[in-house]
Amino acid sequence: MNANSKPSAASASMRRPAQPIKLYRSAISGHSHRVELFLSLLGLPFELVDVALAAGAHKQPDFLAMNPFGQVPVIQDGDVTLADSNAILVYLTGRYAADAEQWLPGDALAAANVQRWLSVAAGQLAFGPATARVIQLFKLPASPADAIARAHALFKVMEQQLGQSAFLTGSTVTLADIANYSYVAHAPEGNVSLDGYPALRAWLARMEALPRFVPMAKTPVGLAA
């Protein structure tokens, strides 16, 4: 196929699952939401399967067979069962994204820049705004002070970056943005204010303007109450 030809119907269908992808999730989990958001942005058919975390469904043998760590999200795509939200984003990109280079570039430096923010999502984001939100959401006895401080330290870095580019790694949205959006958007639920971060709030608005964007369920706690 030359550079000017369009993909055939057959090649396009190869990037569609034979049946809807099952997403085992919790509606209030940002890790689950980043997968749901990406599935929607890619226009893929999927089925949401809510896991009753409060009832301990994620610790039952049938769920542990899918993810021994007992965590959501998990996807089932035909004979593929995969856990870990960031791993799922990478899988969906390689398997189904017609514009995979946009989401996860092949260029070494560009790919490293995206991976850096995937690491942030698993590190500073998870132990900052996500942890502060969990403490508030479930009324845990732990003090949220350290998590809130980590959140603001992260947001200062993101504010600086987003003052220079529309998205976290440049002018176009990538997996870096998908992985970090949900917990940033819902940081006020953990008593982390976004008022002092205009570039960060503008980025959230750009994310929410993407075609087929789907929001995460809001919980009226913290500053969002």
Side-chain angles (χ1 to χ4, degrees), residues 149-225:
R150 286 192 291 267
H152 284 297
L154 169 61
F155 290 173
K156 288 176 183 177
V157 174
M158 297 180 79
E159 178 74 10
Q160 182 179 24
Q161 176 61 46
L162 292 165
Q164 302 171 13
S165 60
F167 295 96
L168 287 173
T169 63
S171 60
T172 58
V173 61
T174 69
L175 292 187
D177 305 283
I178 304 301
N180 283 277
Y181 166 80
S182 305
Y183 286 121
V184 175
H186 289 257
E189 295 172 14
N191 284 323
V192 182
S193 174
L194 299 176
D195 288 348
Y197 308 103
L200 190 64
R201 297 197 309 274
W203 168 72
L204 293 175
R206 283 190 288 273
M207 293 293 293
E208 291 158 8
L210 293 172
R212 295 187 296 271
F213 171 85
V214 291
M216 184 168 83
K218 292 183 178 180
T219 52
V221 296
L223 299 176

Side-chain angles (χ1 to χ4, degrees), residues 34 86 111-127 154 175-176 179-180:
R34 67 179 61 145
N86 287 348
N113 285 333
V114 171
Q115 179 59 60
R116 171 184 176 237
W117 285 103
L118 295 182
S119 296
V120 167
Q124 292 94 328
L125 185 79
F127 294 103
L154 169 61
L175 292 187
N180 283 277

Side-chain angles (χ1 to χ4, degrees), residues 102-113:
Q102 172 192 336
W103 301 104
L104 185 60
D107 173 77
L109 180 57
N113 285 333

Side-chain angles (χ1 to χ4, degrees):
M1 184 168 63
N2 63 49
N4 296 320
S5 62
K6 295 181 179 180
S8 67
S11 64
S13 66
M14 290 174 62
R15 294 190 178 273
R16 304 286 295 179
Q19 57 194 21
I21 296 170
K22 286 186 177 181
L23 170 57
Y24 294 83
R25 60 119 194 205
S26 166
I28 59 173
S29 160
H31 288 75
S32 296
H33 178 256
R34 67 179 61 145
V35 175
E36 179 184 356
L37 174 59
F38 195 46
L39 285 165
S40 183
L41 294 179
L42 292 181
L44 296 174
F46 62 95
E47 173 189 350
L48 297 176
V49 181
D50 288 311
V51 179
L53 302 184
H58 57 307
K59 301 301 183 181
Q60 298 305 308
D62 56 344
F63 190 88
L64 292 174
M66 296 189 294
N67 181 5
F69 290 112
Q71 298 169 332
V72 292
V74 174
I75 64 166
Q76 286 183 330
D77 179 22
D79 60 357
V80 172
T81 298
L82 185 63
D84 184 88
S85 59
N86 287 348
I88 293 169
L89 295 183
V90 171
Y91 167 80
L92 293 173
T93 298
R95 183 74 180 268
Y96 294 116
D99 50 353
E101 281 282 328
Q102 172 192 336
W103 301 104
L104 185 60
D107 173 77
L109 180 57
N113 285 333
V114 171
Q115 179 59 60
R116 171 184 176 237
W117 285 103
L118 295 182
S119 296
V120 167
Q124 292 94 328
L125 185 79
F127 294 103
T131 294
R133 177 175 175 268
V134 166
I135 291 172
Q136 182 67 27
L137 193 60
F138 297 105
K139 305 302 181 186
L140 301 182
S143 170
D146 288 345
I148 291 174
R150 286 192 291 267
H152 284 297
L154 169 61
F155 290 173
K156 288 176 183 177
V157 174
M158 297 180 79
E159 178 74 10
Q160 182 179 24
Q161 176 61 46
L162 292 165
Q164 302 171 13
S165 60
F167 295 96
L168 287 173
T169 63
S171 60
T172 58
V173 61
T174 69
L175 292 187
D177 305 283
I178 304 301
N180 283 277
Y181 166 80
S182 305
Y183 286 121
V184 175
H186 289 257
E189 295 172 14
N191 284 323
V192 182
S193 174
L194 299 176
D195 288 348
Y197 308 103
L200 190 64
R201 297 197 309 274
W203 168 72
L204 293 175
R206 283 190 288 273
M207 293 293 293
E208 291 158 8
L210 293 172
R212 295 187 296 271
F213 171 85
V214 291
M216 184 168 83
K218 292 183 178 180
T219 52
V221 296
L223 299 176

